[in-house]
Amino acid sequence: MNDNLKENKNIFIKSYGCQMNVYDSNRIKDLFENKGYKIVNKIEDANLAVLNTCHIREKAAEKVYSDIGRIKKIKEKKTDKNFKLVVAGCVAQAEGEEIQKRSPFVDFVVGPQSYHKLPDMIDHSSTKINDEFLQNEKFKNLLFKSSNNVSEFVSIQEGCDKFCSFCVVPYTRGAEFSRPVEDVLNEIKNYSSNKIKEIILLGQNVNAYHGKGNDGKTKDLAYLINKISEIDQIKRIRYMTSHPIDMSDTLIAIHGQNPKLMPFLHLPIQSGSDKILKLMNRKHTVDEYIDVINKIKASRSDIALSSDFIVGFPGETDEDFENTMRFVEKIKFVIAYSFMYSPRPGTPSQKKDNIDITTKKARLSALQSLLKQQQVKFNKSFVDHEMEILFEKTGRHENQYVGRTIYNQSAFISHSNNLINKIIKVKVSRSTDFALECQL
Ligand code: SAH
Ligand code: SF4
Ligand code: F3S
């Protein structure tokens, strides 16, 4: 390593995209803190910057290139000429060579399954690009430093074998891989020495989890959740994101049996039209999705449901879109995320994009307003009721604390005592569009 970096070890990390990237950024932070680096919040103060990028939609990828352009200017102004820029994450995996061509001053490019090699790459300046799929080796070499968080993400599964025709994830994250049960438990036990009360299990297809147990046999997500719930200090468990075809009966059953498993399920469907679901290669129909929902409601009647939607997928007619709207009206999601279809390089549906932007925008706006109405109505239904909140952090105002309900709604309260890390029953006094105001 050059002397300047040795003396002046300040690292700036920016995370784009999903929670799995947030988790990975935390691991990158752990790796570099272990080498004596300090985290800084401003790129101007850093001599090493890591952009942990997302490739899911065109806008996400473009943002990275515009940030790289901005950083180039900052780099040129720096007196420390040894400033290094790393592009990590899913754009790095998908467009490693292109990044180096378009932006030659990017020093290192590292994919989501090989970022454990980053400290070495920087020390020796030998390899500029690493896009190997080294899931097993990666998890063995990561550090899981104890944090001060009340709630902690834990990646238990990575990659995807589903190949939805619109999606880059199988290419950027590789094949499905599950961490062994013991490794996951050890990571959580490591966190539980601190404040931690909630674990959010992550995976691109988290409910396809099939990790090795101590007896050498494969264990499913239900088994893992039950094992985690034996850790006294952990009071709340969540998991995301799930695919409808992997919602097994055992997983559905524990929603009714395990009180630490929160009554919230993020289950993307993408479209309410069977024709579009088939074109998307989602491997299930609308009715099959509804069957899963009915089973889960039978297991846990108050389950709060969330989903993802894509509008303007190639071939989506007005009627297909109407089917999505009718479907949403029927299911009543408590929250949902919706996006305009974005053609992605290398995916089967990339070349088929045929819905004009005006139609896409109109459909997105109609869907989002319906989803918002449902969310607002759901939140309003709790006004004057008591709810248990896990308070996680301070809010924007003085003496304000922010946390989550069991249904994953955001909630806030003003109080003179520090409520962080407490699970408290409070009364909901008001609901804003996206959060609940509470009183003790
Ligand atoms: N593994 C999850 C989600 C992965 S990506 C699942 O199975 O659903 C998160 C969301 O981004 C997807 O659910 C989808 O709604 C959206 N998305 C993915 N690719 C997209 C694309 N090409 N255009 C628009 N939205 C997309
Ligand atoms: Fe992408 Fe489909 Fe896999 Fe989800 S299930 S990550 S949408 S390919
Ligand atoms: Fe984006 Fe990669 Fe996550 S493409 S959504 S950062 S898995």
Coordinates of all heavy atoms in Angstrom, one line a residue, residues 69 146 255 347 386 395:
G69 N -19.0 10.7 -12.5 CA -18.6 11.9 -13.2 C -18.3 13.0 -12.1 O -17.3 13.8 -12.2
S146 N -19.8 -6.3 15.8 CA -20.9 -5.9 16.6 C -21.3 -4.5 16.3 O -20.4 -3.6 16.3 CB -20.6 -6.1 18.0 OG -21.5 -6.8 18.6
H255 N -46.0 -18.8 10.7 CA -46.6 -17.5 10.9 C -47.7 -17.5 12.0 O -47.9 -16.5 12.7 CB -47.1 -16.9 9.6 CG -46.1 -16.2 8.8 ND1 -45.8 -14.9 9.1 CD2 -45.3 -16.5 7.8 CE1 -44.8 -14.5 8.3 NE2 -44.5 -15.4 7.5
T347 N -31.2 -9.4 -20.5 CA -32.4 -10.1 -20.1 C -33.3 -10.5 -21.3 O -33.3 -9.8 -22.3 CB -33.2 -9.3 -19.1 OG1 -33.6 -8.1 -19.7 CG2 -32.4 -8.9 -17.8
E386 N -54.1 0.9 20.5 CA -52.8 0.7 21.1 C -52.0 -0.3 20.2 O -52.5 -1.2 19.6 CB -52.9 0.0 22.5 CG -53.4 1.0 23.5 CD -53.2 0.4 24.9 OE1 -53.4 -0.8 25.1 OE2 -52.8 1.2 25.8
G395 N -35.5 10.7 16.1 CA -36.1 11.3 14.9 C -35.5 12.6 14.5 O -34.4 13.0 15.1

